Amino acid sequence: MSERIYLLPLWIRLWHWTNALLIILLMITGISLHFADPKLPLVEFSLAARLHQIGGLALVALYALFVVANIVSGNWWQYVPKPPGVLARCWVQAKWYMGGIFRGEPHPYRVSEEANFNALQAISYWVIMYMIMPVMLLSGLVFLFPDFAPDRLFGLDGLLPVAILHYVTGAAIVLFMIIHVYLGTTGATVTSMFKTMINGWHEH
Amino acid sequence: MLASWRQTIVVLLLGGWGLSAFAGGDAPIDTATIELNRKANEACYACHSAAGIAKPPKAGLDLSKLKDSRLEPPVFNPSDHGVMDCRECHSKTHYNDYPHAEAGKTSTVGCTECHAAKVLRLEPQFNASVHAKVKGVKEKFTCFTCHDPHINIVQKRLKDPAKIVAQDNHGCLECHNSSETFAKFAPEGEKTPGQKKARPDIDTIHDWLPNTRAHWKSVRCIECHTPEVAEAKMLSHEILNKEKAEKKCLTCHSANSTLKVRLYRHMVKDEQQKYGFTNSVILSNSYVIGATRHPLLDNILIGLAGLTLLGVLAHGAVRIIAAMGRKGKE
């Protein structure tokens, strides 16, 4: 049996899967709203609108919990890429994804209780969770309360830039999710990382 | 009845409107005639205005009656009929002198006198309308019930969709959002014989519609409560009840949005693809999800999603093939 460490406390796992379910719900309903077309097999518009609002508000609440829990538990430190040599470690990681992984070379970074993420992971999670996600949530809230949006901009409705920000950041999170799910298969075995997210134990 | 609050709303809506030179889209009236008419109307405003009520030109006027028939030049003048002499409709015979002859009340000229062709065309539509189908209601309805000739401005002249929405929805909500006014027209309730039908709560009956209040600010009730309309055609005067009204969101919330031939029909000659947006004419007033998209941005994001999926699938496939190769060597 391979060596394993207890990596992820229950609250992180619960947050992760709730976050994942909400993102999937918001992705499906968001696509149904933005690409609304009677010829496409999408969720019925008024249902999609209600689900998107409820899911969006739930995600805002969950994000607030995530930020507070990260501060209280000190978990926020995991997302900070630690110098020196951050870029060099990112390059080593990228090279492994581009070549070493195909040759069956061992993972270049050994996960520890002190540092859960490799440098690429830390940077991408930090960008997604602390830069893109807040913009998506805030623009979604303005969508919900459009009185906060500018009245007009360049002769068009002032809600337009808010809508574009929401759309682009939402799309960025969907792209991240596709890559994130796939990279989840690159652990010691194809399923080991998914198991870690369920039981909290990481297999080296 | 011209209540003061209503006039205030319209003054705010129309703020700064210039001289109008058309009466209801008919032939233009020359400036000299307009000036003459407005001069003549000053005699009416001497009593029938806020200033007249505050400082009546004669002693012994019944001010309570004046309050119900007051009007202000900044409201009337920009309206479609604002170029006319008040006595064109309010009998010259009975309103030249004070006190006005009692017969004046019943001799006001009806809309048909000038708009006969339009009335003839619209009457069958109105007769099919929910307002004509409910027993005892049709008789209480005139054009004036929904269209106030002292205030209203046609869509083509009003131009700003927000102002069009506010004006037209005011006509509906004046009854449907006021139990007092609704009761004046309400038939006997089916379940309450001898009693008038209670006004259904407007929020409750629209609770299926997400962001109800946001819709009422951005579109007119008649966008959903009138039958389908062909391009460049006027909206029908057949007001549909809740069973027949449009409930398919995609009628407006899609690239082929019907709003183009409804609320925005007067802007049909404007640029429709400004900055590359689909239905940019609608976007000039409202971001309508599903309708006001940017095809280039959509294509870029769909392309990126496709490439990402292809990328991870290809990476996975190479991993599998490489792993099989390694196993074969072992």
Side-chain angles (χ1 to χ4, degrees):
Chain A
M1 191 174 169
S2 61
E3 190 190 338
R4 61 180 207 158
I5 53 169
Y6 186 67
L7 200 67
L8 301 173
L10 181 64
W11 78 264
I12 290 184
R13 285 176 278 143
L14 283 176
W15 163 77
H16 176 270
W17 290 115
T18 315
N19 194 55
L21 286 175
L22 286 173
I23 296 278
I24 290 167
L25 171 78
L26 290 164
M27 177 187 72
I28 294 168
T29 51
I31 288 172
S32 300
L33 292 170
H34 184 84
F35 295 99
D37 187 325
K39 294 189 282 290
L40 296 176
L42 302 166
V43 180
E44 192 276 321
F45 194 90
S46 65
L47 176 66
R50 286 194 199 286
L51 289 175
H52 202 77
Q53 284 181 0
I54 296 166
L57 286 173
L59 191 64
V60 169
L62 187 70
Y63 183 74
L65 276 175
F66 169 78
V67 172
V68 171
N70 260 325
I71 294 167
V72 171
S73 66
N75 188 61
W76 64 274
W77 185 241
Q78 295 288 348
Y79 295 91
V80 181
K82 281 87 178 172
V86 176
L87 285 179
R89 277 182 281 133
C90 283
W91 177 237
V92 169
Q93 191 65 39
K95 273 201 303 186
W96 183 75
Y97 287 134
M98 290 186 291
I101 191 170
F102 303 125
R103 293 189 291 273
E105 290 171 9
H107 204 284
Y109 178 75
R110 189 176 171 85
V111 171
S112 69
E113 285 160 344
E114 292 73 34
N116 298 353
F117 308 135
N118 65 53
L120 263 186
Q121 261 181 312
I123 289 175
S124 56
Y125 291 179
W126 190 86
V127 169
I128 288 291
M129 290 313 295
Y130 290 105
M131 289 180 78
I132 293 177
M133 187 72 114
V135 175
M136 188 192 69
L137 294 176
L138 279 174
S139 55
L141 283 173
V142 178
F143 238 133
L144 207 53
F145 305 100
D147 288 343
F148 289 100
D151 195 34
R152 305 195 65 72
L153 214 69
F154 305 119
L156 301 174
D157 184 12
L159 196 58
L160 178 65
V162 178
I164 290 178
L165 261 185
H166 193 67
Y167 178 34
V168 171
T169 49
I173 289 172
V174 170
L175 296 185
F176 166 80
M177 191 175 67
I178 296 169
I179 298 167
H180 182 64
V181 172
Y182 172 70
L183 292 182
T185 66
T186 60
T189 66
V190 170
T191 55
S192 63
M193 283 187 180
F194 295 99
K195 286 178 188 161
T196 306
M197 274 321 307
I198 293 168
N199 60 26
W201 289 90
H202 173 79
E203 284 180 49
H204 287 299
Chain B
M1 185 184 289
L2 299 168
S4 61
W5 61 268
R6 182 171 181 178
Q7 293 183 11
T8 312
I9 290 172
V10 174
V11 169
L12 288 172
L13 275 173
L14 304 177
W17 192 270
L19 283 174
S20 64
F22 290 82
D26 296 329
I29 298 174
D30 65 87
T31 317
T33 310
I34 294 171
E35 285 306 311
L36 272 176
N37 288 342
R38 288 189 175 159
K39 190 80 188 158
N41 291 347
E42 282 174 17
C44 307
Y45 290 129
C47 296
H48 294 274
S49 67
I53 293 167
K55 201 175 171 185
K58 285 183 184 180
L61 292 175
D62 187 344
L63 296 180
S64 64
K65 283 183 183 168
L66 274 179
K67 275 177 188 163
D68 287 343
S69 59
R70 54 174 272 203
L71 190 61
E72 304 300 331
V75 174
F76 180 62
N77 288 354
S79 77
D80 292 333
H81 295 93
V83 291
M84 293 165 66
D85 185 325
C86 301
R87 293 166 304 172
E88 292 288 341
C89 301
H90 299 285
S91 165
K92 271 184 179 153
T93 321
H94 304 295
Y95 286 104
N96 274 339
D97 301 308
Y98 183 84
H100 308 314
E102 191 63 24
K105 283 182 185 170
T106 51
S107 59
T108 303
V109 169
C111 307
T112 322
E113 291 290 326
C114 298
H115 303 284
K118 197 176 256 183
V119 170
L120 201 66
R121 185 162 52 83
L122 301 181
E123 205 157 21
Q125 297 172 1
F126 171 72
N127 287 338
S129 166
V130 62
H131 294 133
K133 293 275 184 190
V134 181
K135 197 182 164 190
V137 175
K138 183 182 176 184
E139 295 71 26
K140 296 175 190 169
F141 256 74
T142 64
C143 306
F144 186 65
T145 309
C146 303
H147 307 283
D148 190 332
H150 299 107
I151 292 173
N152 277 24
I153 299 172
V154 288
Q155 188 174 1
K156 199 164 63 179
R157 287 181 57 237
L158 204 47
K159 288 194 177 97
D160 182 347
K163 289 177 180 170
I164 295 166
V165 169
Q167 174 183 274
D168 287 5
N169 284 0
H170 178 79
C172 306
L173 294 172
E174 196 176 20
C175 289
H176 289 279
N177 206 23
S178 159
S179 297
E180 193 188 339
T181 323
F182 187 85
K184 289 179 188 168
F185 295 89
E188 196 174 271
E190 282 173 19
K191 293 173 188 166
T192 52
Q195 283 185 320
K196 288 201 163 183
K197 184 188 170 188
R199 180 181 67 88
D201 179 69
I202 199 132
D203 285 304
T204 311
I205 57 176
H206 290 96
D207 65 355
W208 66 274
L209 179 69
N211 300 324
T212 321
R213 296 265 160 178
H215 275 94
W216 295 343
K217 273 191 202 168
S218 310
V219 287
R220 299 170 298 179
C221 308
I222 53 172
E223 316 303 353
C224 300
H225 286 275
T226 52
E228 199 173 321
V229 61
E231 199 169 332
K233 293 286 178 192
M234 186 179 162
L235 255 64
S236 171
H237 271 58
E238 180 187 348
I239 305 298
L240 303 174
N241 65 13
K242 65 177 178 181
E243 279 76 31
K244 289 183 183 171
E246 184 61 78
K247 278 194 170 179
K248 291 193 290 290
C249 306
L250 298 195
T251 304
C252 294
H253 288 277
S254 61
N256 193 26
S257 177
T258 187
L259 286 174
K260 282 185 291 191
V261 292
R262 287 179 172 271
L263 180 57
Y264 297 87
R265 66 189 279 266
H266 63 294
M267 294 163 82
V268 73
K269 287 180 183 164
D270 290 9
E271 190 187 346
Q272 302 285 322
Q273 308 288 329
K274 197 175 176 184
Y275 304 130
F277 284 95
T278 306
N279 296 320
S280 60
V281 157
I282 299 175
L283 199 53
S284 67
N285 185 54
S286 292
Y287 176 81
V288 179
I289 193 159
T292 49
R293 314 206 292 246
H294 198 292
L296 178 63
L297 182 61
D298 285 347
N299 288 339
I300 290 171
L301 293 179
I302 292 170
L304 278 175
L307 284 174
T308 308
L309 262 176
L310 269 178
V312 297
L313 287 174
H315 195 275
V318 175
R319 268 170 69 199
I320 293 168
I321 294 164
M324 285 164 67
R326 285 199 303 275
K327 265 191 183 170
K329 280 181 189 170
E330 284 164 11

